[in-house]
Amino acid sequence: MRLSRGFLPTLKEVPAEAQIASHRLMLRAGLVRQTSAGIYAWLPVGLRVLRNIEQIVREEQNAIGAQEVLMPTVQSSELWKRSGRYDAYGPEMLRIRDRQDRELLYGPTNEEMITDLFGQVIKSYRELPQALYHVQWKFRDELRPRFGVMRGREFFMKDAYSFDASYEDAVATYRRMMLAYLRTFQRLGVRAVPMKADTGPIGGDLSHEFLVLAPTGESGVFFDAALEEQDWLHENVDIADHASLEVFFNGVTRFYAATDEMHDETSWEDVPADRRREGRGIEVGHIFYFGTKYTESMGISVSGPDGAQFFPEMGSYGIGVSRLVGAVIEASHDEAGIIWPDSVAPYRAAILSLKPGDEAVDALCERLYGAAPDAFLYDDRSERAGVKFNDADLMGHPWQMIVGPRGAKEGKVELKRRATGERFELTAEDALAKVLGTDGAGKDAA
RNA sequence: CGGGGCGUGGCGCAGCCUGGUAGCGCGCUUGUUUUGGGUACAAGAGGCCCCCGGUUCGAGUCCGGGCGCCCCGACCA
């Protein structure tokens, strides 16, 4: 993208409503604009980040055999009356009436819908297990939206739902999902620690939430350092084998990890002092097993090997995709702006033309830009160098390719790594190879 | 939902108490200048002062009602 043509409103001054770093930076870097309380329009750069995160989430869901569907945002109240949640859900649910006065709602979650869909299609234990997910907009009418996209009313979320024939199978599914989550967050360049969670009103007894470590997190967290040191991408787990999954799962859960609500001082004392990590975290994912709660309440059963009907065991698994955009920024920024992990960055690099109009500079910039126009944001504006440096730091591109008149004469580019501030003086070819060579997977994990 | 605050050019704000025909900084436009970390000068454009009603000769300012947004708390992917 040529910046001179981009719909990319960077701000020098911070809008008054933004309180925390990620919100401020998202507005300043031109990622989003608020349209109502807790409702945001995603501008081109913000959308690229959102899509990058979504894609990594999708790949890891697919990798454990979950199948993608896309369910609607608007749902009929009928489904929710069947499960009994229409009355139970409360004012968080946005209720709508259509012109025929039918009761509709903007979905806050999709357990009912997926269970109904499942029931329409799956009739026999032979067709189990099934794991379905979608990535879709949701709406919860929060009393008090805040923190930008981190606590919006409308949000983009991956939610997966699993159906198994037995408790044992459901547990295996749960463990597979935990592995997928650990890998997903690692690829996103953030550290997310799984913590035992309260199963709450939904019930069930297997539940973990994943918290990204960031000083502005809403919950206090206590965990064993071992949990932030593992390389889940290279952890050897056979996801088809229950025993292998169990080894993996025990390997994760044997370490202490709890949010302040679940914190237990006595167990905490058992963690060696030098391995105790205390901080704050932002919840970005939640997995739980809840058994037959919905299959039973909605009357969805399948036939078993003995010919008798039974209720499949379910779990559900969410990742807050839009929230993650904010969470990644919370976990990765400095005074100057965002520091995108390679894997989610909207552009791999900014090309900073320090002297548009200079023949050598223009030629070199065009050559770089032409090599991968979709990967680069080419700052071709006739602005001062300082403006461009500041905007590039603010937007947080992993690399800056700085082209000035001095270097351009010799075909040299100055490469700056945003995260570390390292600078390299390279030929155009070497610079391109270095910048385009970083595919990001896991490389930025802190 | 309880408590607090705010709505004035695109953004950040002053003006309101003590009514008299709207101002500052940034941004934007044009020209000159500058050219490796938000350049300087000059000339411009841009405002239903959130909305409705009331008081008044006169309302951004006072009064009533509404809407919107933010902050603290309770609640949450």
Side-chain angles (χ1 to χ4, degrees), chain A residues 14-181:
Chain A
V14 193
E17 73 264 20
Q19 298 298 314
I20 62 166
S22 63
H23 191 192
R24 277 202 291 269
L25 290 171
M26 288 183 73
L27 292 170
R28 286 226 294 139
L31 306 190
V32 292
R33 279 289 163 96
Q34 182 176 122
T35 64
S36 300
I39 303 179
Y40 291 82
W42 291 77
L43 307 188
V45 174
L47 183 60
R48 288 175 72 106
V49 175
L50 191 71
R51 294 288 185 237
N52 288 344
I53 294 175
E54 177 188 2
Q55 185 55 26
I56 288 172
V57 169
R58 173 175 291 121
E59 287 168 12
E60 294 299 327
Q61 291 295 294
N62 292 343
I64 57 165
Q67 300 173 72
E68 186 169 12
V69 297
L70 184 59
M71 291 178 275
T73 53
V74 174
Q75 307 185 24
S76 159
S77 64
E78 294 305 312
L79 282 172
W80 289 69
K81 285 176 177 164
R82 264 167 73 191
S83 73
R85 276 164 112 196
Y86 192 67
D87 296 321
Y89 210 90
E92 266 200 345
M93 183 152 77
L94 180 64
R95 294 153 208 260
I96 311 168
R97 282 181 190 274
D98 70 8
R99 67 204 298 170
Q100 321 282 12
D101 212 32
R102 282 184 292 240
E103 293 175 321
L104 301 173
L105 57 101
Y106 197 107
T109 180
N110 288 71
E111 277 87 2
E112 283 79 0
M113 185 172 278
I114 197 80
T115 306
D116 181 61
L117 260 177
F118 169 86
Q120 290 178 34
V121 175
I122 302 298
K123 302 295 176 193
S124 155
Y125 78 98
R126 292 173 180 277
E127 301 169 280
L128 296 179
Q130 291 288 337
L132 302 169
Y133 73 98
H134 76 339
V135 192
Q136 179 61 290
W137 292 94
K138 307 259 186 298
F139 194 95
R140 290 183 195 167
D141 196 1
E142 299 286 347
L143 244 29
R144 193 182 154 215
R146 66 183 116 178
F147 304 150
V149 300
M150 296 236 291
R151 177 84 190 281
R153 292 195 292 172
E154 188 180 50
F155 55 98
F156 198 47
M157 181 182 180
K158 184 285 299 183
D159 41 326
Y161 304 90
S162 65
F163 301 85
D164 282 282
S166 66
Y167 175 75
E168 290 68 33
D169 288 352
V171 169
T173 296
Y174 182 90
R175 291 169 175 169
R176 260 192 297 272
M177 200 58 84
M178 176 176 273
L179 178 65
Y181 271 44

Side-chain angles (χ1 to χ4, degrees), chain A residues 64-339:
Chain A
I64 57 165
Q67 300 173 72
E68 186 169 12
V69 297
L70 184 59
M71 291 178 275
T73 53
V74 174
Q75 307 185 24
S76 159
S77 64
E78 294 305 312
L79 282 172
W80 289 69
K81 285 176 177 164
R82 264 167 73 191
S83 73
R85 276 164 112 196
Y86 192 67
D87 296 321
Y89 210 90
E92 266 200 345
M93 183 152 77
L94 180 64
R95 294 153 208 260
I96 311 168
R97 282 181 190 274
D98 70 8
R99 67 204 298 170
Q100 321 282 12
D101 212 32
R102 282 184 292 240
E103 293 175 321
L104 301 173
L105 57 101
Y106 197 107
T109 180
N110 288 71
E111 277 87 2
E112 283 79 0
M113 185 172 278
I114 197 80
T115 306
D116 181 61
L117 260 177
F118 169 86
Q120 290 178 34
V121 175
I122 302 298
K123 302 295 176 193
S124 155
Y125 78 98
R126 292 173 180 277
E127 301 169 280
L128 296 179
Q130 291 288 337
L132 302 169
Y133 73 98
H134 76 339
V135 192
Q136 179 61 290
W137 292 94
K138 307 259 186 298
F139 194 95
R140 290 183 195 167
D141 196 1
E142 299 286 347
L143 244 29
R144 193 182 154 215
R146 66 183 116 178
F147 304 150
V149 300
M150 296 236 291
R151 177 84 190 281
R153 292 195 292 172
E154 188 180 50
F155 55 98
F156 198 47
M157 181 182 180
K158 184 285 299 183
D159 41 326
Y161 304 90
S162 65
F163 301 85
D164 282 282
S166 66
Y167 175 75
E168 290 68 33
D169 288 352
V171 169
T173 296
Y174 182 90
R175 291 169 175 169
R176 260 192 297 272
M177 200 58 84
M178 176 176 273
L179 178 65
Y181 271 44
L182 290 168
R183 288 180 168 166
T184 299
F185 294 122
Q186 186 173 334
R187 285 185 61 191
L188 293 174
V190 292
R191 276 291 162 187
V193 178
M195 315 234 163
K196 204 163 172 38
D198 192 351
T199 51
I202 294 191
D205 53 359
L206 269 175
S207 176
H208 286 85
E209 46 189 38
F210 291 75
L211 289 100
V212 165
L213 305 177
T216 46
E218 73 271 19
S219 317
V221 294
F222 303 82
F223 62 96
D224 190 312
L227 289 167
E228 60 177 3
E229 291 162 357
Q230 310 254 8
D231 177 4
W232 308 110
L233 295 175
H234 298 95
E235 182 94 358
N236 196 17
V237 184
D238 179 356
I239 59 166
D241 178 52
H242 285 204
S244 175
L245 284 166
E246 184 170 10
V247 170
F248 151 74
F249 183 77
N250 291 339
V252 176
T253 54
R254 72 165 184 269
F255 295 110
Y256 185 84
T259 57
D260 38 18
E261 305 92 63
M262 303 285 285
H263 187 51
D264 171 41
E265 271 300 328
T266 14
S267 315
W268 184 231
E269 299 298 322
D270 295 339
V271 180
D274 63 324
R275 306 198 60 79
R276 288 182 208 156
R277 296 285 180 276
E278 255 183 81
R280 305 203 64 81
I282 301 163
E283 187 182 351
V284 290
H286 199 158
I287 57 179
F288 49 91
Y289 159 80
F290 49 69
T292 59
K293 175 174 168 141
Y294 294 100
T295 42
E296 230 170 302
S297 65
M298 297 182 66
I300 303 294
S301 60
V302 302
S303 358
D306 55 0
Q309 294 292 116
F310 72 94
F311 297 115
E313 302 272 339
M314 289 181 67
S316 90
Y317 318 87
I319 291 182
V321 175
S322 50
R323 167 177 279 196
L324 265 162
V325 178
V328 168
I329 296 172
E330 285 298 324
S332 182
H333 70 274
D334 61 17
E335 322 72 51
I338 302 167
I339 303 172

